[in-house]
Amino acid sequence: MIGLLALALVCALAGCGAPSSPTPTPPKPTLSPSALATNYRYLNPALYPDRDTPIGQASAQLQAVWTPYDVTVIPGRHLLDSMRSPPQVLNMTNGKLSDADAEALAWAEYRENAFLGWLESNVQPRLNDHLRVHGLFNGVIGNAVRAGQAVTDPACGLYAAQIAVIPVDQTVVAFEAGKGYSVTSQFALVDRYKAPCAVVTAAGPLFTAASDVVIIETGAIQHDDVLGDLFFAQSGRDCESGSAISACGSV
């Protein structure tokens, strides 16, 4: 049953909907041999309140920090406490990236997805564009959050159980172009999300996936002074939405 259920899961969780406007080009990868030295669970306590706080109730300093991020609630400093550790990453870059830098991409993606899970449950849709391109929020979850619904996105939908890092070649570029994305990134993540996985709102389930899904997501690590080092996703498409390419079999 990977068909429509899997497609719904991946479009909503990882974002494979076609972009609604031209896709912004993220910066080039900022990986370095010391990339993994970053603590991907760290949040600067000077920039985050002790708990989630409506921006109007925060200090003037925190209001000044967070107003540019288009939020009505400021995330608390414990947001990343429950973020999982990525699995061992399969580095398929043929030496273009060290194993440490390949692993750093996975950590940065997990950090990005932790913020995504928070914005979904706290109905902060405008934060999305600070984490990834706008078009990746066009799925079922994005529509629900924009409609004012809090979405509970479980760990099975936020954190891939298997991850491979591959170079972006013309097959990847063409695959993502099938959903309207323009790819300039040098590397892609191939993510397998394990089923079963259900995403819910207070009104009931949005959908349930009964089979694993695999997506190919392009992007690069981007540093933000408040959000930290994140994998800024440039495109994402699941391997069930069109003719699969060889990269789909990486995990």
PDB file of all heavy atoms in Angstrom, residues 14-51:
ATOM      1  N   ALA A  14       7.803  15.338   4.621  1.00  0.00           N
ATOM      2  CA  ALA A  14       9.076  15.781   4.086  1.00  0.00           C
ATOM      3  C   ALA A  14       8.906  16.796   2.985  1.00  0.00           C
ATOM      4  O   ALA A  14       9.860  17.456   2.606  1.00  0.00           O
ATOM      5  CB  ALA A  14       9.854  14.576   3.557  1.00  0.00           C
ATOM      6  N   GLY A  15       7.692  16.914   2.442  1.00  0.00           N
ATOM      7  CA  GLY A  15       7.418  17.954   1.476  1.00  0.00           C
ATOM      8  C   GLY A  15       7.824  17.615   0.079  1.00  0.00           C
ATOM      9  O   GLY A  15       8.967  17.790  -0.307  1.00  0.00           O
ATOM     10  N   CYS A  16       6.890  17.133  -0.731  1.00  0.00           N
ATOM     11  CA  CYS A  16       7.233  16.872  -2.122  1.00  0.00           C
ATOM     12  C   CYS A  16       6.287  17.588  -3.056  1.00  0.00           C
ATOM     13  O   CYS A  16       6.272  17.332  -4.243  1.00  0.00           O
ATOM     14  CB  CYS A  16       7.228  15.368  -2.412  1.00  0.00           C
ATOM     15  SG  CYS A  16       5.610  14.602  -2.218  1.00  0.00           S
ATOM     16  N   GLY A  17       5.464  18.466  -2.537  1.00  0.00           N
ATOM     17  CA  GLY A  17       4.551  19.203  -3.391  1.00  0.00           C
ATOM     18  C   GLY A  17       5.300  20.148  -4.296  1.00  0.00           C
ATOM     19  O   GLY A  17       6.376  20.639  -3.982  1.00  0.00           O
ATOM     20  N   ALA A  18       4.717  20.420  -5.450  1.00  0.00           N
ATOM     21  CA  ALA A  18       5.360  21.331  -6.386  1.00  0.00           C
ATOM     22  C   ALA A  18       5.382  22.730  -5.802  1.00  0.00           C
ATOM     23  O   ALA A  18       4.450  23.153  -5.137  1.00  0.00           O
ATOM     24  CB  ALA A  18       4.601  21.328  -7.710  1.00  0.00           C
ATOM     25  N   PRO A  19       6.448  23.470  -6.022  1.00  0.00           N
ATOM     26  CA  PRO A  19       6.524  24.820  -5.480  1.00  0.00           C
ATOM     27  C   PRO A  19       5.482  25.715  -6.097  1.00  0.00           C
ATOM     28  O   PRO A  19       5.173  25.609  -7.275  1.00  0.00           O
ATOM     29  CB  PRO A  19       7.956  25.273  -5.847  1.00  0.00           C
ATOM     30  CG  PRO A  19       8.373  24.389  -6.961  1.00  0.00           C
ATOM     31  CD  PRO A  19       7.657  23.088  -6.770  1.00  0.00           C
ATOM     32  N   SER A  20       4.918  26.617  -5.274  1.00  0.00           N
ATOM     33  CA  SER A  20       3.880  27.505  -5.758  1.00  0.00           C
ATOM     34  C   SER A  20       4.450  28.754  -6.399  1.00  0.00           C
ATOM     35  O   SER A  20       3.735  29.534  -6.997  1.00  0.00           O
ATOM     36  CB  SER A  20       2.959  27.900  -4.592  1.00  0.00           C
ATOM     37  OG  SER A  20       3.709  28.496  -3.555  1.00  0.00           O
ATOM     38  N   SER A  21       5.738  28.967  -6.242  1.00  0.00           N
ATOM     39  CA  SER A  21       6.408  30.111  -6.843  1.00  0.00           C
ATOM     40  C   SER A  21       7.831  29.692  -7.128  1.00  0.00           C
ATOM     41  O   SER A  21       8.291  28.662  -6.654  1.00  0.00           O
ATOM     42  CB  SER A  21       6.386  31.307  -5.872  1.00  0.00           C
ATOM     43  OG  SER A  21       6.985  30.968  -4.652  1.00  0.00           O
ATOM     44  N   PRO A  22       8.581  30.467  -7.927  1.00  0.00           N
ATOM     45  CA  PRO A  22       9.963  30.070  -8.224  1.00  0.00           C
ATOM     46  C   PRO A  22      10.735  29.758  -6.956  1.00  0.00           C
ATOM     47  O   PRO A  22      10.669  30.476  -5.972  1.00  0.00           O
ATOM     48  CB  PRO A  22      10.523  31.306  -8.945  1.00  0.00           C
ATOM     49  CG  PRO A  22       9.314  31.933  -9.571  1.00  0.00           C
ATOM     50  CD  PRO A  22       8.180  31.695  -8.599  1.00  0.00           C
ATOM     51  N   THR A  23      11.467  28.660  -6.980  1.00  0.00           N
ATOM     52  CA  THR A  23      12.171  28.184  -5.801  1.00  0.00           C
ATOM     53  C   THR A  23      13.419  29.016  -5.539  1.00  0.00           C
ATOM     54  O   THR A  23      14.282  29.124  -6.401  1.00  0.00           O
ATOM     55  CB  THR A  23      12.591  26.711  -6.002  1.00  0.00           C
ATOM     56  OG1 THR A  23      11.426  25.948  -6.288  1.00  0.00           O
ATOM     57  CG2 THR A  23      13.278  26.181  -4.758  1.00  0.00           C
ATOM     58  N   PRO A  24      13.532  29.621  -4.345  1.00  0.00           N
ATOM     59  CA  PRO A  24      14.749  30.374  -4.027  1.00  0.00           C
ATOM     60  C   PRO A  24      15.961  29.457  -4.040  1.00  0.00           C
ATOM     61  O   PRO A  24      15.866  28.271  -3.746  1.00  0.00           O
ATOM     62  CB  PRO A  24      14.482  30.900  -2.608  1.00  0.00           C
ATOM     63  CG  PRO A  24      13.016  30.731  -2.385  1.00  0.00           C
ATOM     64  CD  PRO A  24      12.586  29.598  -3.247  1.00  0.00           C
ATOM     65  N   THR A  25      17.091  29.999  -4.374  1.00  0.00           N
ATOM     66  CA  THR A  25      18.319  29.225  -4.382  1.00  0.00           C
ATOM     67  C   THR A  25      19.036  29.376  -3.051  1.00  0.00           C
ATOM     68  O   THR A  25      19.405  30.480  -2.672  1.00  0.00           O
ATOM     69  CB  THR A  25      19.256  29.700  -5.515  1.00  0.00           C
ATOM     70  OG1 THR A  25      18.572  29.544  -6.752  1.00  0.00           O
ATOM     71  CG2 THR A  25      20.537  28.889  -5.522  1.00  0.00           C
ATOM     72  N   PRO A  26      19.202  28.288  -2.287  1.00  0.00           N
ATOM     73  CA  PRO A  26      19.900  28.383  -1.010  1.00  0.00           C
ATOM     74  C   PRO A  26      21.390  28.566  -1.231  1.00  0.00           C
ATOM     75  O   PRO A  26      21.895  28.372  -2.338  1.00  0.00           O
ATOM     76  CB  PRO A  26      19.607  27.022  -0.358  1.00  0.00           C
ATOM     77  CG  PRO A  26      19.427  26.103  -1.506  1.00  0.00           C
ATOM     78  CD  PRO A  26      18.808  26.915  -2.603  1.00  0.00           C
ATOM     79  N   PRO A  27      22.118  28.919  -0.192  1.00  0.00           N
ATOM     80  CA  PRO A  27      23.557  29.086  -0.344  1.00  0.00           C
ATOM     81  C   PRO A  27      24.236  27.766  -0.652  1.00  0.00           C
ATOM     82  O   PRO A  27      23.692  26.691  -0.430  1.00  0.00           O
ATOM     83  CB  PRO A  27      23.994  29.616   1.036  1.00  0.00           C
ATOM     84  CG  PRO A  27      22.928  29.143   1.959  1.00  0.00           C
ATOM     85  CD  PRO A  27      21.664  29.155   1.171  1.00  0.00           C
ATOM     86  N   LYS A  28      25.433  27.855  -1.161  1.00  0.00           N
ATOM     87  CA  LYS A  28      26.224  26.663  -1.412  1.00  0.00           C
ATOM     88  C   LYS A  28      26.541  25.964  -0.096  1.00  0.00           C
ATOM     89  O   LYS A  28      26.517  26.579   0.965  1.00  0.00           O
ATOM     90  CB  LYS A  28      27.537  27.038  -2.121  1.00  0.00           C
ATOM     91  CG  LYS A  28      27.326  27.595  -3.529  1.00  0.00           C
ATOM     92  CD  LYS A  28      26.769  26.537  -4.470  1.00  0.00           C
ATOM     93  CE  LYS A  28      26.657  27.083  -5.888  1.00  0.00           C
ATOM     94  NZ  LYS A  28      26.098  26.077  -6.805  1.00  0.00           N
ATOM     95  N   PRO A  29      26.829  24.670  -0.141  1.00  0.00           N
ATOM     96  CA  PRO A  29      27.132  23.948   1.100  1.00  0.00           C
ATOM     97  C   PRO A  29      28.249  24.607   1.887  1.00  0.00           C
ATOM     98  O   PRO A  29      29.217  25.130   1.319  1.00  0.00           O
ATOM     99  CB  PRO A  29      27.546  22.561   0.600  1.00  0.00           C
ATOM    100  CG  PRO A  29      26.872  22.422  -0.721  1.00  0.00           C
ATOM    101  CD  PRO A  29      26.866  23.809  -1.310  1.00  0.00           C
ATOM    102  N   THR A  30      28.106  24.594   3.206  1.00  0.00           N
ATOM    103  CA  THR A  30      29.107  25.210   4.071  1.00  0.00           C
ATOM    104  C   THR A  30      29.840  24.169   4.899  1.00  0.00           C
ATOM    105  O   THR A  30      30.349  24.458   5.962  1.00  0.00           O
ATOM    106  CB  THR A  30      28.441  26.234   5.004  1.00  0.00           C
ATOM    107  OG1 THR A  30      27.413  25.574   5.746  1.00  0.00           O
ATOM    108  CG2 THR A  30      27.822  27.374   4.220  1.00  0.00           C
ATOM    109  N   LEU A  31      29.874  22.932   4.390  1.00  0.00           N
ATOM    110  CA  LEU A  31      30.545  21.870   5.124  1.00  0.00           C
ATOM    111  C   LEU A  31      32.042  22.116   5.213  1.00  0.00           C
ATOM    112  O   LEU A  31      32.653  22.711   4.345  1.00  0.00           O
ATOM    113  CB  LEU A  31      30.302  20.525   4.437  1.00  0.00           C
ATOM    114  CG  LEU A  31      28.848  20.031   4.432  1.00  0.00           C
ATOM    115  CD1 LEU A  31      28.749  18.780   3.594  1.00  0.00           C
ATOM    116  CD2 LEU A  31      28.383  19.757   5.840  1.00  0.00           C
ATOM    117  N   SER A  32      32.611  21.610   6.269  1.00  0.00           N
ATOM    118  CA  SER A  32      34.048  21.694   6.463  1.00  0.00           C
ATOM    119  C   SER A  32      34.475  20.429   7.189  1.00  0.00           C
ATOM    120  O   SER A  32      33.648  19.696   7.715  1.00  0.00           O
ATOM    121  CB  SER A  32      34.400  22.923   7.311  1.00  0.00           C
ATOM    122  OG  SER A  32      33.969  22.731   8.635  1.00  0.00           O
ATOM    123  N   PRO A  33      35.779  20.146   7.230  1.00  0.00           N
ATOM    124  CA  PRO A  33      36.217  18.947   7.950  1.00  0.00           C
ATOM    125  C   PRO A  33      35.814  18.928   9.418  1.00  0.00           C
ATOM    126  O   PRO A  33      35.780  17.871  10.037  1.00  0.00           O
ATOM    127  CB  PRO A  33      37.743  18.990   7.788  1.00  0.00           C
ATOM    128  CG  PRO A  33      37.943  19.734   6.516  1.00  0.00           C
ATOM    129  CD  PRO A  33      36.869  20.792   6.508  1.00  0.00           C
ATOM    130  N   SER A  34      35.489  20.091   9.977  1.00  0.00           N
ATOM    131  CA  SER A  34      35.115  20.136  11.392  1.00  0.00           C
ATOM    132  C   SER A  34      33.613  20.308  11.580  1.00  0.00           C
ATOM    133  O   SER A  34      33.148  20.658  12.657  1.00  0.00           O
ATOM    134  CB  SER A  34      35.845  21.295  12.094  1.00  0.00           C
ATOM    135  OG  SER A  34      35.510  22.524  11.497  1.00  0.00           O
ATOM    136  N   ALA A  35      32.838  20.052  10.516  1.00  0.00           N
ATOM    137  CA  ALA A  35      31.401  20.316  10.583  1.00  0.00           C
ATOM    138  C   ALA A  35      30.727  19.583  11.722  1.00  0.00           C
ATOM    139  O   ALA A  35      29.819  20.104  12.368  1.00  0.00           O
ATOM    140  CB  ALA A  35      30.739  19.947   9.256  1.00  0.00           C
ATOM    141  N   LEU A  36      31.156  18.360  12.007  1.00  0.00           N
ATOM    142  CA  LEU A  36      30.496  17.563  13.019  1.00  0.00           C
ATOM    143  C   LEU A  36      30.788  18.074  14.432  1.00  0.00           C
ATOM    144  O   LEU A  36      30.168  17.631  15.393  1.00  0.00           O
ATOM    145  CB  LEU A  36      30.898  16.096  12.888  1.00  0.00           C
ATOM    146  CG  LEU A  36      29.939  15.084  13.528  1.00  0.00           C
ATOM    147  CD1 LEU A  36      28.533  15.243  12.972  1.00  0.00           C
ATOM    148  CD2 LEU A  36      30.436  13.678  13.322  1.00  0.00           C
ATOM    149  N   ALA A  37      31.727  19.010  14.564  1.00  0.00           N
ATOM    150  CA  ALA A  37      32.015  19.575  15.877  1.00  0.00           C
ATOM    151  C   ALA A  37      30.833  20.388  16.400  1.00  0.00           C
ATOM    152  O   ALA A  37      30.740  20.662  17.596  1.00  0.00           O
ATOM    153  CB  ALA A  37      33.263  20.450  15.803  1.00  0.00           C
ATOM    154  N   THR A  38      29.913  20.784  15.510  1.00  0.00           N
ATOM    155  CA  THR A  38      28.727  21.513  15.926  1.00  0.00           C
ATOM    156  C   THR A  38      27.863  20.635  16.828  1.00  0.00           C
ATOM    157  O   THR A  38      27.658  19.461  16.548  1.00  0.00           O
ATOM    158  CB  THR A  38      27.904  21.931  14.690  1.00  0.00           C
ATOM    159  OG1 THR A  38      28.697  22.782  13.869  1.00  0.00           O
ATOM    160  CG2 THR A  38      26.630  22.661  15.094  1.00  0.00           C
ATOM    161  N   ASN A  39      27.354  21.235  17.914  1.00  0.00           N
ATOM    162  CA  ASN A  39      26.405  20.530  18.771  1.00  0.00           C
ATOM    163  C   ASN A  39      25.013  20.829  18.221  1.00  0.00           C
ATOM    164  O   ASN A  39      24.468  21.910  18.429  1.00  0.00           O
ATOM    165  CB  ASN A  39      26.527  20.997  20.213  1.00  0.00           C
ATOM    166  CG  ASN A  39      25.536  20.315  21.137  1.00  0.00           C
ATOM    167  OD1 ASN A  39      24.691  19.533  20.699  1.00  0.00           O
ATOM    168  ND2 ASN A  39      25.617  20.621  22.424  1.00  0.00           N
ATOM    169  N   TYR A  40      24.420  19.877  17.532  1.00  0.00           N
ATOM    170  CA  TYR A  40      23.156  20.118  16.843  1.00  0.00           C
ATOM    171  C   TYR A  40      21.961  20.150  17.785  1.00  0.00           C
ATOM    172  O   TYR A  40      20.845  20.430  17.345  1.00  0.00           O
ATOM    173  CB  TYR A  40      22.964  19.093  15.722  1.00  0.00           C
ATOM    174  CG  TYR A  40      23.844  19.411  14.532  1.00  0.00           C
ATOM    175  CD1 TYR A  40      25.095  18.820  14.382  1.00  0.00           C
ATOM    176  CD2 TYR A  40      23.446  20.348  13.585  1.00  0.00           C
ATOM    177  CE1 TYR A  40      25.913  19.141  13.309  1.00  0.00           C
ATOM    178  CE2 TYR A  40      24.256  20.679  12.521  1.00  0.00           C
ATOM    179  CZ  TYR A  40      25.491  20.066  12.380  1.00  0.00           C
ATOM    180  OH  TYR A  40      26.298  20.399  11.315  1.00  0.00           O
ATOM    181  N   ARG A  41      22.164  19.878  19.062  1.00  0.00           N
ATOM    182  CA  ARG A  41      21.087  20.015  20.038  1.00  0.00           C
ATOM    183  C   ARG A  41      21.200  21.324  20.836  1.00  0.00           C
ATOM    184  O   ARG A  41      20.372  21.575  21.710  1.00  0.00           O
ATOM    185  CB  ARG A  41      21.091  18.834  21.010  1.00  0.00           C
ATOM    186  CG  ARG A  41      20.620  17.518  20.389  1.00  0.00           C
ATOM    187  CD  ARG A  41      20.280  16.489  21.470  1.00  0.00           C
ATOM    188  NE  ARG A  41      19.794  15.249  20.894  1.00  0.00           N
ATOM    189  CZ  ARG A  41      20.571  14.211  20.597  1.00  0.00           C
ATOM    190  NH1 ARG A  41      21.876  14.288  20.814  1.00  0.00           N
ATOM    191  NH2 ARG A  41      20.058  13.112  20.074  1.00  0.00           N
ATOM    192  N   TYR A  42      22.186  22.127  20.528  1.00  0.00           N
ATOM    193  CA  TYR A  42      22.410  23.343  21.316  1.00  0.00           C
ATOM    194  C   TYR A  42      21.519  24.480  20.832  1.00  0.00           C
ATOM    195  O   TYR A  42      21.398  24.738  19.633  1.00  0.00           O
ATOM    196  CB  TYR A  42      23.873  23.778  21.221  1.00  0.00           C
ATOM    197  CG  TYR A  42      24.156  25.077  21.941  1.00  0.00           C
ATOM    198  CD1 TYR A  42      24.223  25.122  23.327  1.00  0.00           C
ATOM    199  CD2 TYR A  42      24.327  26.264  21.224  1.00  0.00           C
ATOM    200  CE1 TYR A  42      24.462  26.313  23.994  1.00  0.00           C
ATOM    201  CE2 TYR A  42      24.580  27.456  21.878  1.00  0.00           C
ATOM    202  CZ  TYR A  42      24.653  27.477  23.268  1.00  0.00           C
ATOM    203  OH  TYR A  42      24.888  28.661  23.919  1.00  0.00           O
ATOM    204  N   LEU A  43      20.904  25.169  21.788  1.00  0.00           N
ATOM    205  CA  LEU A  43      20.190  26.415  21.542  1.00  0.00           C
ATOM    206  C   LEU A  43      20.725  27.459  22.508  1.00  0.00           C
ATOM    207  O   LEU A  43      20.815  27.203  23.713  1.00  0.00           O
ATOM    208  CB  LEU A  43      18.681  26.232  21.753  1.00  0.00           C
ATOM    209  CG  LEU A  43      17.948  25.326  20.760  1.00  0.00           C
ATOM    210  CD1 LEU A  43      16.496  25.140  21.190  1.00  0.00           C
ATOM    211  CD2 LEU A  43      18.010  25.890  19.355  1.00  0.00           C
ATOM    212  N   ASN A  44      21.075  28.613  22.002  1.00  0.00           N
ATOM    213  CA  ASN A  44      21.636  29.675  22.832  1.00  0.00           C
ATOM    214  C   ASN A  44      20.577  30.154  23.821  1.00  0.00           C
ATOM    215  O   ASN A  44      19.544  30.702  23.421  1.00  0.00           O
ATOM    216  CB  ASN A  44      22.079  30.830  21.936  1.00  0.00           C
ATOM    217  CG  ASN A  44      22.803  31.918  22.705  1.00  0.00           C
ATOM    218  OD1 ASN A  44      22.689  32.037  23.926  1.00  0.00           O
ATOM    219  ND2 ASN A  44      23.564  32.741  22.003  1.00  0.00           N
ATOM    220  N   PRO A  45      20.789  29.957  25.134  1.00  0.00           N
ATOM    221  CA  PRO A  45      19.758  30.329  26.108  1.00  0.00           C
ATOM    222  C   PRO A  45      19.453  31.819  26.131  1.00  0.00           C
ATOM    223  O   PRO A  45      18.400  32.222  26.635  1.00  0.00           O
ATOM    224  CB  PRO A  45      20.338  29.846  27.439  1.00  0.00           C
ATOM    225  CG  PRO A  45      21.812  29.749  27.210  1.00  0.00           C
ATOM    226  CD  PRO A  45      21.983  29.365  25.771  1.00  0.00           C
ATOM    227  N   ALA A  46      20.350  32.646  25.600  1.00  0.00           N
ATOM    228  CA  ALA A  46      20.073  34.083  25.544  1.00  0.00           C
ATOM    229  C   ALA A  46      19.041  34.412  24.470  1.00  0.00           C
ATOM    230  O   ALA A  46      18.467  35.508  24.480  1.00  0.00           O
ATOM    231  CB  ALA A  46      21.365  34.852  25.277  1.00  0.00           C
ATOM    232  N   LEU A  47      18.804  33.462  23.547  1.00  0.00           N
ATOM    233  CA  LEU A  47      17.913  33.727  22.419  1.00  0.00           C
ATOM    234  C   LEU A  47      16.586  32.977  22.519  1.00  0.00           C
ATOM    235  O   LEU A  47      15.712  33.143  21.661  1.00  0.00           O
ATOM    236  CB  LEU A  47      18.608  33.334  21.106  1.00  0.00           C
ATOM    237  CG  LEU A  47      19.959  34.006  20.835  1.00  0.00           C
ATOM    238  CD1 LEU A  47      20.543  33.506  19.524  1.00  0.00           C
ATOM    239  CD2 LEU A  47      19.822  35.524  20.819  1.00  0.00           C
ATOM    240  N   TYR A  48      16.447  32.157  23.560  1.00  0.00           N
ATOM    241  CA  TYR A  48      15.248  31.336  23.710  1.00  0.00           C
ATOM    242  C   TYR A  48      14.721  31.461  25.133  1.00  0.00           C
ATOM    243  O   TYR A  48      15.498  31.394  26.091  1.00  0.00           O
ATOM    244  CB  TYR A  48      15.557  29.860  23.416  1.00  0.00           C
ATOM    245  CG  TYR A  48      15.857  29.572  21.962  1.00  0.00           C
ATOM    246  CD1 TYR A  48      17.113  29.834  21.436  1.00  0.00           C
ATOM    247  CD2 TYR A  48      14.885  29.038  21.126  1.00  0.00           C
ATOM    248  CE1 TYR A  48      17.396  29.581  20.104  1.00  0.00           C
ATOM    249  CE2 TYR A  48      15.155  28.773  19.789  1.00  0.00           C
ATOM    250  CZ  TYR A  48      16.410  29.047  19.284  1.00  0.00           C
ATOM    251  OH  TYR A  48      16.689  28.802  17.961  1.00  0.00           O
ATOM    252  N   PRO A  49      13.412  31.603  25.317  1.00  0.00           N
ATOM    253  CA  PRO A  49      12.852  31.614  26.672  1.00  0.00           C
ATOM    254  C   PRO A  49      12.892  30.210  27.270  1.00  0.00           C
ATOM    255  O   PRO A  49      13.170  29.230  26.571  1.00  0.00           O
ATOM    256  CB  PRO A  49      11.413  32.089  26.450  1.00  0.00           C
ATOM    257  CG  PRO A  49      11.093  31.662  25.053  1.00  0.00           C
ATOM    258  CD  PRO A  49      12.378  31.755  24.281  1.00  0.00           C
ATOM    259  N   ASP A  50      12.593  30.107  28.537  1.00  0.00           N
ATOM    260  CA  ASP A  50      12.627  28.810  29.204  1.00  0.00           C
ATOM    261  C   ASP A  50      11.555  27.876  28.657  1.00  0.00           C
ATOM    262  O   ASP A  50      11.733  26.660  28.636  1.00  0.00           O
ATOM    263  CB  ASP A  50      12.443  28.981  30.708  1.00  0.00           C
ATOM    264  CG  ASP A  50      12.594  27.663  31.455  1.00  0.00           C
ATOM    265  OD1 ASP A  50      13.669  27.034  31.309  1.00  0.00           O
ATOM    266  OD2 ASP A  50      11.647  27.261  32.155  1.00  0.00           O
ATOM    267  N   ARG A  51      10.448  28.443  28.200  1.00  0.00           N
ATOM    268  CA  ARG A  51       9.367  27.637  27.627  1.00  0.00           C
ATOM    269  C   ARG A  51       8.746  28.412  26.466  1.00  0.00           C
ATOM    270  O   ARG A  51       9.010  29.603  26.296  1.00  0.00           O
ATOM    271  CB  ARG A  51       8.306  27.321  28.687  1.00  0.00           C
ATOM    272  CG  ARG A  51       7.675  28.549  29.291  1.00  0.00           C
ATOM    273  CD  ARG A  51       6.702  28.210  30.415  1.00  0.00           C
ATOM    274  NE  ARG A  51       7.378  27.502  31.490  1.00  0.00           N
ATOM    275  CZ  ARG A  51       8.017  28.100  32.480  1.00  0.00           C
ATOM    276  NH1 ARG A  51       8.115  29.421  32.521  1.00  0.00           N
ATOM    277  NH2 ARG A  51       8.600  27.397  33.430  1.00  0.00           N
TER     278      ARG A  51
END
